[in-house]
Amino acid sequence: MTAIGTSSTVAVVGTGTMGQGIAQVALVAGHPVRLYDTASGRAAQAAEEIVRRLDRLVEKGRITADARDAARTRLSPADSLAELADAALVIEAILEQLPAKQELFTALEDIVAADCLLATNTSSLSVTAVAGRLRHPGRCVGLHFFNPAPLLPLVEVISGFATDEAAAALAYDTAAAWGKTPVRCTDTPGFVVNRIARPFYAEALRVYEERVADPATIDAVLRDGTGFRMGPFELTDLIGQDVNEAVTHSVWQAFFQDPKFTPSLAQRRLVESGLHGRKAGRGWFDYSEGAARPEPRTAAPCPAPASVGLHAKLPGPAVVLRELIEEAGIKVTRDRTPGESEGFLRLPGGACLALTNGYPATSNAYGKYIRFDLSLDYRAATRIALAASAAVSEADLAEAVGLFQALGKQVSVIEDVPGMIAARTIAMIIDFAVDAAARGVASPEDIDTAMRLGVNYPGGPMEWAEQLGAQWVWDLLDSMHHQNPGGRYVPSWALRRRADLEEQVL
């Protein structure tokens, strides 16, 4: 490993939250750190704040008082860019405006040494464009830290079109030496995390706009049903609705307004109203003192059926439901419905209970269908969403609710919609990941690492593709596409190739 030595100076330009966090990381790693900001006095204030953070680390026992004192002596504010001349690495964390970043690096090129590495912390702009005006763009690389930088381990190391391999390797090794987990990726809109994570937000917003369920219920289904640490509405409130919407819009524009990345009008209206989330006191939820959080839609207790019929094998991870049902003391018999190839559970009242397949329950020719949503682990899940066809009676639905409640699950009954909530979200994330890997954006291993560490996913989407099978994901998205033409749900050809290869292996 060839990292920048700790005797070499690291300079950080831009002293907001991210700039301070990056400076703290380099400082704790042992480097002399120099801070610069165009606003007079801001760098000195940032240095004082970083020292206060180090004080808190001492109080918590994370670092020693001697380490804190040594770090303090290595930290200094700069009054001009010229004072960064001896830096071996300059990381910018200024406004997400391309002209400003280009102007900064053009000025730095006349100040720093020829072997100084120039890095941008941009989250959505093109690294290639940032370096485009440099005489030597090969030494410019993306180093995208995640907020808060001292705590989150992931760093995306982005190679622009002209980035030298040696520069990217040096940036990667330096991030690793700082105790971070770097991943390599090419210069594509959104890089890894902000590209592949778009469906997590976009599908939730689409479901909300379709009046399928309210934000609290959508969050609960994804959080309690699939293991995401936070639901998309509470997460975007934490990130900032303005920040999340800006990234979505930037990626959409960068992909030439591809319908897969279309922003949400509902989120746009929220941003226009100034309801930016926690920092504003209100976003999708109210964060004012004493405000009650809305509860997710949860079905009242219903009696469990004494027995159910099983027709064929339930698909994917739903296969474990037979075992869970029997463990709950409910008898499972064999259902012999002629002409049906899909695996489903037959309820005592005659309704069929089946995993969502991308079609709404009402579209099934049999009529009495209830769809349940996808979970990656039905044993661990604590909530399941159900959607019933128009032909299903209240008694039929109560049997389905009671069945899942007997398995220890809370149940949210939502409106009948293709793909429901979790299935369409996870399928889209998998498709984005498979497509990104096929296009060489990042390796499958780095994609999974990035999504687990960058946004705390309960697993990697490439692992999910293996677990669910590419054919199942393709079928669900293809079904949704035929009902929602326009391109949003067209599955990628990379997913089709993966499904074909799986079939050949079998």
Side-chain angles (χ1 to χ4, degrees):
M1 182 174 73
T2 306
I4 294 174
T6 54
S7 62
S8 298
T9 297
V10 173
V12 178
V13 180
T15 57
T17 300
M18 182 58 77
Q20 290 181 29
I22 295 171
Q24 180 180 329
V25 170
L27 190 65
V28 171
H31 291 270
V33 174
R34 203 157 294 147
L35 295 171
Y36 174 74
D37 199 292
T38 54
S40 178
R42 187 76 59 81
Q45 293 172 2
E48 292 174 358
E49 176 56 34
I50 292 171
V51 171
R52 284 192 288 271
R53 293 182 185 179
L54 295 179
D55 289 340
R56 290 193 289 271
L57 291 179
V58 172
E59 293 171 1
K60 295 177 180 179
R62 304 278 179 82
I63 62 173
T64 65
D66 288 344
R68 183 264 322 276
D69 294 341
R72 182 187 294 160
T73 64
R74 297 195 304 272
L75 178 63
S76 59
D79 294 324
S80 68
L81 280 180
E83 295 180 46
L84 311 185
D86 64 336
L89 167 62
V90 180
I91 305 175
E92 71 79 13
I94 64 174
L95 294 174
E96 283 288 271
Q97 296 176 356
L98 180 59
K101 294 179 187 292
Q102 290 175 326
E103 182 180 348
L104 170 64
F105 281 127
T106 300
L108 283 169
E109 196 171 31
D110 292 330
I111 294 171
V112 299
D115 60 351
C116 176
L117 186 64
L118 302 178
T120 172
N121 183 59
T122 183
S123 61
S124 58
L125 298 176
S126 165
V127 174
T128 302
V130 170
R133 293 185 182 178
L134 295 178
R135 295 188 302 274
H136 304 288
R139 62 169 165 172
C140 186
V141 66
L143 270 178
H144 180 215
F145 290 77
F146 288 75
N147 194 28
L151 296 180
L152 294 186
L154 182 69
V155 177
E156 292 177 324
V157 181
I158 306 106
S159 292
F161 185 79
T163 300
D164 291 336
E165 172 57 30
L170 180 61
Y172 182 98
D173 290 345
T174 299
W178 290 357
K180 296 301 182 181
T181 303
V183 296
R184 294 282 297 269
C185 63
T186 59
D187 188 17
T188 184
F191 312 135
V192 178
V193 172
N194 279 328
R195 172 179 178 152
I196 296 173
R198 291 347 294 163
F200 183 69
Y201 314 112
E203 290 310 302
L205 288 162
R206 185 73 169 252
V207 167
Y208 167 76
E209 290 172 338
E210 294 169 349
R211 294 296 184 263
V212 174
D214 60 277
T217 299
I218 296 168
D219 275 358
V221 169
L222 285 165
R223 185 183 60 242
D224 305 338
T226 61
F228 288 99
R229 187 168 298 182
M230 298 180 74
F233 291 96
E234 56 186 343
L235 180 55
T236 52
D237 269 355
L238 179 63
I239 294 169
Q241 296 299 331
D242 53 336
V243 174
N244 182 262
E245 199 253 358
V247 172
T248 297
H249 196 272
S250 175
V251 172
W252 175 61
Q253 291 283 19
F255 275 113
F256 307 104
Q257 301 185 1
D258 187 326
K260 289 179 178 288
F261 297 93
T262 301
S264 163
L265 181 59
Q267 188 177 40
R268 178 91 287 267
R269 293 291 180 259
L270 201 70
V271 172
E272 290 173 339
S273 300
L275 305 179
H276 294 170
R278 287 181 178 270
K279 61 186 177 184
R282 185 178 171 188
W284 292 109
F285 305 114
D286 187 350
Y287 299 94
S288 60
E289 186 176 353
R293 286 291 294 273
E295 294 294 326
R297 187 189 308 170
T298 304
C302 296
S307 65
V308 295
L310 175 61
H311 177 85
K313 182 181 178 181
L314 295 176
V319 69
V320 75
L321 286 176
R322 175 175 184 166
E323 183 178 319
L324 296 179
I325 292 169
E326 290 176 335
E327 289 174 3
I330 299 171
K331 185 178 181 180
V332 179
T333 62
R334 187 174 181 182
D335 182 90
R336 299 178 180 274
T337 303
E340 283 281 356
S341 59
E342 180 182 19
F344 61 81
L345 295 166
R346 173 81 69 184
L347 297 170
C352 297
L353 181 61
L355 176 64
T356 180
N357 62 356
Y359 286 103
T362 304
S363 69
N364 190 277
Y366 174 70
K368 292 183 65 174
Y369 250 76
I370 303 170
R371 293 286 177 184
F372 60 88
D373 209 348
L374 175 68
S375 174
L376 296 166
D377 185 348
Y378 284 98
R379 184 174 288 278
T382 58
R383 182 177 296 270
I384 297 294
L386 300 179
S389 70
V392 168
S393 68
E394 290 186 10
D396 292 325
L397 185 57
E399 289 178 345
V401 170
L403 175 63
F404 278 106
Q405 288 174 340
L407 307 186
K409 321 298 181 188
Q410 292 183 302
V411 178
S412 293
V413 179
I414 65 174
E415 299 301 316
D416 187 21
V417 66
M420 301 186 70
I421 297 174
R424 69 198 281 180
T425 300
I426 290 172
M428 287 286 281
I429 290 172
I430 290 171
D431 190 39
F432 275 37
V434 170
D435 183 60
R439 293 175 184 271
V441 173
S443 70
E445 296 77 17
D446 276 356
I447 287 173
D448 280 354
T449 296
M451 303 313 291
R452 284 196 302 267
L453 299 183
V455 278
N456 288 313
Y457 278 10
M462 301 301 290
E463 295 173 349
W464 296 341
E466 187 74 23
Q467 176 185 356
L468 295 174
Q471 186 63 55
W472 186 88
V473 179
W474 168 277
D475 288 342
L476 185 134
L477 291 176
D478 192 48
S479 299
M480 293 191 65
H481 167 60
H482 281 93
Q483 296 164 95
N484 298 272
R488 184 182 182 97
Y489 299 107
V490 176
S492 68
W493 281 113
L495 186 65
R496 177 69 268 158
R497 288 195 297 271
R498 185 182 177 101
D500 290 342
L501 287 173
E502 288 178 353
E503 183 66 26
Q504 292 173 18
V505 171
L506 294 175

